[in-house]
Amino acid sequence: MQVFVVGVFGLRQCCCDNLLLVAGYCWLRSWRFVQLFRKHQAGINFIRYILGLGRHLFFEFSTDSHRMKFYTPTLVPVALVAFCVIATSGHAANPRSFVSSSRAILGTLSSLTASTRLGDFDGDGDLDVAVANGRHWPQQNFLFLNQVRGRFNVQRRLGTDWRTTYATEVADLDGDGDLDIAVGNDMAPSQVMLNDGHGRFVPGSTLGELSSVRSLTLADLDGDKDIDILATSRGRPNRIFLNDGKAGFETEKTFGGPSDSTISVAVADLNADGHNDLVLANRDGQQSYVLLNDGQLRFETKVFFGGKRDETRAVAVADLNGDGMVDVVAGNIGQPNALYLGDSSGGFETRVPFGRVDGQTYAINIADMNNDQSLDVVVGNVAQSNAVFFSNATFFSDQTGDAFSETRFGDASAATYGLDVGDLDGDGFDDIVTANSGSLNRIFSNRAKR
């Protein structure tokens, strides 16, 4: 694809021509610009048409080769009036919809899927899917390998045993450059599965003793540049397994209370002290809270958020209002979801409710779903349609309007316990994969709304 940049100038030439060319070249070389035009290809013919009418084309940039060709017009007027990029692309913030089909499914109706995660497991440059099956009853976990543009025509077993799996979390755990998978099981051995680089996995370390694992979170907690594992266990101690750098997890610590009903945990530096803190989602009448890291992995300082009787099932973290501080999104059961805007101390200055008053949110992801440079919230619900909540930038900048606009997708009768987002078909927009218990797992393609 080629992007044409034009200059519109005044009445006479001067030496600043070259400066403008250099500045334009440097800006165009930026990755953000290249990604923008790779994502939005519509309107290129319109650009070419407009340029055909003009006389001041002076360079042409190829996003495929990252090279620029310079042209010297017979007359380049300069006394700067404007310097502009002409790029129409069916504006990135146009409304989006999320569509599925009978072919966009993963697994069978009998699958009791608790979560799903995306990653390039076979190293071919596109996103594959790991599916965690066995919610309450043992089942086989699977990988679905992306063959081309979101077609998952290869299904591969992940492990040989059927287990009660709630989580398949993805990261390079052994530092060999490919993606491994940590598998979290309820009262069955939780284990690391190591990738050979081609999407075939062999068993690695076992994660501690048996426990009622409900979720896994992967992050570098001790600052040693490798990925550690956090396991939440409803009604039992939550645990941290520290990585020895080679995917060994013998060092174990606990966090939170010994009988916390923790379902989900998110990791981020909430008080900007350089150490990752923990955000716990608790249910069963227990209040959710933040655990601040003292730098020695002692999580002794609690900062509560939400109501004392909130039933919080999921948490996610990101800077949604663009103030440089980490915010928390909580997915709740029987009440609205909530956005908690972070302050510099690890606490929260504002609570913004959103969604249904009788919400049944079990999963949350945060991503820019319409490519407008603002983060949106994707929620998975049980016995309600799932939804994408598109953020409203003016709410956060001027406190006008609503914080989010809602677009629903999926079957209202499905039980979506997990979801993940990523560009599965290579069109530049993130798609959604849902993990449903007792119904088909589905892929929802992100499309312009018609």
Side-chain angles (χ1 to χ4, degrees), residues 11 25 35 72 88 92 114-115 169 224 235 268 286 291 390 417 426 446:
L11 299 176
Y25 176 71
Q35 286 295 86
T72 304
T88 68
S115 70
E169 294 296 331
D224 64 354
Q286 298 178 2
L291 288 172
F390 293 99
Y417 283 91
N446 188 343

Side-chain angles (χ1 to χ4, degrees), residues 288-309:
S288 298
Y289 56 83
V290 172
L291 288 172
L292 297 178
N293 187 350
D294 68 354
Q296 303 297 319
L297 292 185
R298 291 190 295 263
F299 297 94
E300 297 174 354
T301 302
K302 286 185 180 182
V303 180
F304 290 94
F305 66 93
K308 291 183 177 180
R309 296 195 175 278

Side-chain angles (χ1 to χ4, degrees), residues 80-96:
L80 184 64
V81 174
F83 180 74
C84 61
V85 175
I86 299 177
T88 68
S89 58
H91 192 274
N94 280 350
R96 310 298 299 177

Side-chain angles (χ1 to χ4, degrees), residues 394-405:
T394 59
F395 173 86
F396 296 112
S397 60
D398 305 326
Q399 286 73 55
T400 59
D402 296 323
F404 301 98
S405 61

